[in-house]
Amino acid sequence: MLFNSIEFLLFFPIVTIIYFLLGHKDRWWWLLVASCVFYMVFKPEYLLILGFTIIIDYFAGIWIENAVGKRRKWFLIISLVANIGVLAFFKYTNFAIFALAQANIAHFKLLDFILPIGLSFHTFQAMSYTIEVYRGNQKSERHFGLYALYVMFYPQLVAGPIERPQNVLHQFYERKYFDYQRVTSGLKLIAWGLFKKVVIADRLALFADKVYNSPMEYEGVPIIVATIFFTFQIYCDFSGYSDIALGTAEVMGFKLMKNFDRPYFSKSISEFWRRWHISLSTWFRDYLYIPLGGNRVGKTRQYFNQFFVFAVSGLWHGANWNFIIWGALHGFYLVFARVTQKPRAAFNKITGLEKKPFLLKTLQAFTTFCLVAFAWIFFRGNYLEQSQLFHLVTHLFSNLPILKEFLTFNYISQNVFLNFTLIEFLIAIGLIIFMEIIHYIQRDKSIRQLVSTFPIAVRWMLYYFFIMAFFILGVFDKPAQFIYFQF
Amino acid sequence: MNVKQFLFKAFLLSLLTWGTIEAVYYFDPYKKYDLETSYNAVIIDKYKRLQETASPKIVLIAGSNFAYGINSKLIADSLKKPVVNMAIHYDYGTTFMLNQISSELRKGDTVIMGFEYIIESKGNKSEQLLMARYFPKAKEWMEFDDIFEEIREKSQLRINIFKTVLGRLLKNKEITYQVSDTTSVFFRGGTNEYGDLISHFNNPPMKVIPRAILSDKESLKDAIVDMNFFYKTMKARGVKVYFVYPTYSKANYDLDKAIINRYQKEYQKYAQFPILGKPTDFVFADSLYHDMAYHLTKKGGDIRTQKIIQLVRKSGL
């Protein structure tokens, strides 16, 4: 079920109202049933896949806890093999078949099935449970229903945040009450998430899709414009989803981990990854980077580990070379940043930038933004043919106009507005600025708390205009899927 | 604050916001003007003719390729039967369009279907609902998959109308449409007494007919299933039903030949109704097209109509 669908508009209040009407003891099964319904809207039979890994991991958790010595490790391996096996089979089999055929090694028939929605998310969440039990950070969950709910909790089931058992499982045992402040705060977060998705992301998508759907027709400025719009589109799309997930959970009294923290204000790539898809980057840090040696190994090995983790993170996103390149590119950025740390510091000193912190930070943020935006080309080019993607990357700076040519309405209309009207372009830009202003305000204080301090008349006017703006500026032609659903 | 108070507030806010949208939908200041000028409202005139024309009659049904490229008078004079051209726009889909005419067909009537290569069974619900806004009977022709689709589509229509009204209030300028002008095409009043679109006759045709979009992945099977059902129902009622391929400009045909051949094979495989001619019978030089691969000029329409008459005669009608 999509968060931006009519179905969810009916599903959410019904589930929430009944949730609060039920006694504490009955709530877990109600949420579990609701989560099953939420998932089954996509493809009912795929519930069996989830069921399979849930059963394996539930028992693996108990066995790991009860076992001693090497047996603990074996039970963990059974759990990991089951999870990674399901993920590999559904997500990477066709990729492997295709790669073997391309390399002319072996030719197999491609398998014909649709990827289970959100598979990478709930598999990683399930894996974090058995790993944490193995590490002794989490007691095994004996209540099968609650464990199933941990994996299937509908707000974060299909696109995260990828939770840790320590953060979520205990919350299912806690008695939740209807708290007006919390419920309205959660609803405001849902509204903001929906706004980011339906109004900003889907509107920016109109611009980005225009170029990315027929890449060979464009060169230079239009590719740059579309890439910048996609950079904000994917942020609004994914962080919008996360906001709705967090808000939905908050309404019912659950606190999920923050997944985004104004990533485009980052001054370095490493900072970007501390602010973007936080639940995934910390997952890779804790369960892959650190076990590989983390920062405890030699520098060359550290660089390799960093690069490797990011390439794997790319592969996590999708069984496609584009995602691997995207991940590897980020890995390269990070390694490059570490290798050039000293020369860059020396450069800042010589040029005097060091003494102008605002200018330095602005330059760093701008550079980081450009690097991230460039990498998104590979991510967005997921469905493109190799030649089309190659065209986009190699023609990014082709055919750039001289200033005189650039400043003509005809040129701007075709290459910057991408043949949309001036008003449509200004609305898109205005929405990005609006969002970043909100982010800027949120640096120090919560907008939601701020709004709740306003007099009731002002508050209601704000709510009214916000909702009307949602209807007026939203793109409702077809309920667009969230980009991260495909993973 | 208890749950009841919260629910009351939430209800009140929903009422205020959605109420504004509903109010604009029902008290739309432009509704009367749109009823007189909108292309979707042309159904009022076409349906009136369909109801008033005595049987045996010939009814033409398709998307804009029939609206543009048919000379109904020529058919009526040649076949000595009154003709009603019900074609408006392909996007209504086969289910809707065939439902539209079925209740008004009697024994002895003839239906000629000429759906485009991009026809779908379900069609565009927004277009259908927009028609129903001007012509409430159209609601009877609509079929929704489920209640969610119905709510979604109806809400979407209201939001679109709200946006449009707001935009028009800000612009405060309405476009006027006339058959005699050289720009407008799609408006109520742009058709002749038979239902043929004539508003483009005065307009200069495009020098180069743009590329049409035919997808490699689409199938016409669902639409053919609709046509089969319609054919069987009508056959039982004593109504003859034929299919002719849509017209398609030569340059576009050359590019889309493989896809069109595949569609033709689908028709040959699944269709239970008689098909008159083949796709190439209706492929003409680009100079006979007005603004796209399906839209013929007056001259092109006459040539194509002659071809249809010839095929219908050959079939023994």
Side-chain angles (χ1 to χ4, degrees), chain A residues 5-7 10 17 20 178-180 183-184 187 203 456 459-460 463-464 467-468 470-479, chain B residues 1-3 5-10 12-13 16-18 20-21 146-149 151-153 155-156 159-160 162-163 166:
Chain A
S5 66
I6 291 287
E7 286 86 337
L10 298 173
I17 290 168
F20 280 118
F178 181 90
D179 175 344
Y180 180 83
V183 168
T184 52
L187 287 175
R203 183 163 287 279
I456 189 159
R459 233 164 43 216
W460 274 67
Y463 298 153
Y464 179 82
I467 296 171
M468 293 318 285
F470 176 80
F471 288 130
I472 293 166
L473 300 172
V475 178
F476 297 97
D477 293 341
K478 51 181 176 184
Chain B
M1 184 156 320
N2 64 30
V3 182
Q5 275 177 308
F6 166 77
L7 289 176
F8 174 73
K9 282 186 168 184
L12 194 65
L13 188 62
L16 275 172
T17 49
W18 193 254
T20 309
I21 287 168
D146 52 44
I147 183 76
F148 297 116
E149 187 188 39
I151 297 172
R152 182 168 55 241
E153 293 294 342
S155 310
Q156 163 115 39
I159 293 169
N160 285 347
F162 180 77
K163 286 182 187 183
L166 214 63

Side-chain angles (χ1 to χ4, degrees), chain B residues 247-258:
Chain B
T247 184
Y248 209 63
S249 74
K250 178 75 173 67
N252 274 287
Y253 177 79
D254 290 341
L255 293 166
D256 291 327
K257 202 173 168 182

Side-chain angles (χ1 to χ4, degrees), chain A residues 72 88 175 182 337 384 399:
Chain A
R72 281 167 54 80
R175 207 172 280 272
R182 191 198 69 229
L384 299 180
N399 222 354

Side-chain angles (χ1 to χ4, degrees), chain B residues 46 49 58-60 66-87 192-198 301-302 305 309:
Chain B
K46 293 202 177 208
R49 180 168 169 84
I58 296 172
V59 178
L60 307 172
F66 263 19
Y68 266 81
I70 290 284
N71 184 338
S72 295
K73 189 175 181 309
L74 211 58
I75 299 177
D77 293 346
S78 304
L79 302 176
K80 310 291 180 212
K81 280 181 186 174
V83 174
V84 186
N85 187 351
M86 291 297 289
N192 64 15
E193 56 180 302
Y194 300 95
D196 305 341
L197 201 63
I198 53 164
D302 289 348
T305 306
I309 293 167

Side-chain angles (χ1 to χ4, degrees), chain B residues 207-212 214 247-258 260 282-289 292-293:
Chain B
K207 282 176 187 158
V208 179
I209 300 302
R211 180 87 177 92
L214 283 188
T247 184
Y248 209 63
S249 74
K250 178 75 173 67
N252 274 287
Y253 177 79
D254 290 341
L255 293 166
D256 291 327
K257 202 173 168 182
I260 291 174
F282 303 100
V283 173
F284 304 111
D286 282 34
S287 57
L288 293 173
Y289 288 80
M292 67 171 295

Side-chain angles (χ1 to χ4, degrees), chain A residues 394-419:
Chain A
T394 52
H395 290 75
L396 196 56
F397 299 109
S398 302
N399 222 354
L400 293 180
I402 52 164
L403 189 64
K404 200 179 164 189
E405 188 192 352
F406 183 80
L407 293 177
T408 59
F409 184 76
N410 199 23
Y411 185 87
I412 290 179
S413 173
Q414 279 179 21
N415 298 285
V416 180
F417 302 167
L418 303 175
N419 286 326

